[in-house]
Amino acid sequence: KAGVTQTPRYLIKTRGQQVTLSCSPISGHRSVSWYQQTPGQGLQFLFEYFSETQRNKGNFPGRFSGRQFSNSRSEMNVSTLELGDSALYLCASSSGSGGTWDTQYFGPGTRLTVL
Amino acid sequence: AQKITQTQPGMFVQEKEAVTLDCTYDTSDQSYGLFWYKQPSSGEMIFLIYQGSYDEQNATEGRYSLNFQKARKSANLVISASQLGDSAMYFCAMREYGDSSYKLIFGSGTRLLVRP
């Protein structure tokens, strides 16, 4: 089975711009979660989608949004970029069955640099 | 309060020796899962091992085992016969089932360096 794929792998943007990141989950997985990783804050949960619906949301401003398509692929969007948005954005997929054993498998990440 | 605490920012281990990475957690949920991930310099998070709060046996996956002590709220990762390729960041994470959230709460990580 192919793993989780994320595109693009690297992005450079300037302050005030917006960006869209894409994630394709493992085949058959219906849940997609997004995380932000920075040296200062570590790994933080952004949101989780299941069957095109946002089920959970982390503590991030409304500039961060996402969506999921019928094929379970997901996108996240960050509008009005700030310098502090520079981070590694990781996407993870899981079956979405709900049990605590439902492991999240991560993609390679998108490294976003905001200048 | 920190929900996941990894007190070792960095560790060294000699190749072929065993190493223990510490993780303590804090939750009031009865049902939760504990996970360990490895993150090489490439950035991808690689799943290593899972332990459920109701599992009576310690989890094992090849050279990885989890020393789960529920009363102490600790879930230490043991890597046996270390290899050079084990050099990476290691993260302990928890998922609390109480609110049915898929959110993984991560510790700050431990950087492991395997010496030849």
Side-chain angles (χ1 to χ4, degrees), chain A residues 12-15 83 86 113-115:
Chain A
I12 300 176
K13 293 284 186 180
T14 56
R15 278 182 299 173
L83 295 178
S86 294
T113 302
V114 181
L115 302 176

Side-chain angles (χ1 to χ4, degrees), chain A residues 42-43, chain B residues 2 4-9 89-92 106-110:
Chain A
L43 281 146
Chain B
Q2 292 281 356
I4 298 284
T5 303
Q6 294 181 255
T7 56
Q8 308 150 313
M89 282 290 289
Y90 288 81
F91 291 94
C92 178
F106 285 88
S108 54
T110 295

Side-chain angles (χ1 to χ4, degrees), chain A residues 15 17 24 29 32 34 47 55 80 87 94 104 107 109:
Chain A
R15 278 182 299 173
Q17 287 188 309
S24 292
H29 282 188
V32 174
W34 289 88
F47 29 65
R55 284 202 296 198
T80 320
S94 58
Q104 293 181 37

Side-chain angles (χ1 to χ4, degrees), chain A:
Chain A
K1 255 187 190 177
V4 179
T5 58
Q6 291 187 246
T7 56
R9 293 293 310 278
Y10 301 91
L11 265 179
I12 300 176
K13 293 284 186 180
T14 56
R15 278 182 299 173
Q17 287 188 309
Q18 75 162 17
V19 67
T20 299
L21 313 181
S22 180
C23 171
S24 292
I26 292 170
S27 177
H29 282 188
R30 298 169 64 192
S31 168
V32 174
S33 299
W34 289 88
Y35 294 83
Q36 180 197 65
Q37 185 177 23
T38 60
Q41 300 297 318
L43 281 146
Q44 294 186 287
F45 172 79
L46 280 155
F47 29 65
E48 184 248 347
Y49 286 87
F50 178 81
S51 292
E52 303 178 65
T53 301
Q54 186 183 88
R55 284 202 296 198
N56 306 117
K57 188 176 190 306
N59 191 24
F60 278 82
R63 299 185 298 107
F64 292 82
S65 63
R67 59 177 175 169
Q68 187 180 34
F69 302 94
S70 58
N71 62 357
S72 294
R73 190 177 70 85
S74 177
E75 289 181 347
M76 69 162 279
N77 184 275
V78 188
S79 62
T80 320
L81 283 165
E82 300 177 0
L83 295 178
D85 297 333
S86 294
L88 180 66
Y89 290 88
L90 292 160
C91 161
S93 82
S94 58
S95 71
S97 63
T100 57
W101 58 87
D102 194 6
T103 298
Q104 293 181 37
Y105 296 92
F106 285 79
T110 294
R111 190 165 295 280
L112 172 65
T113 302
V114 181
L115 302 176

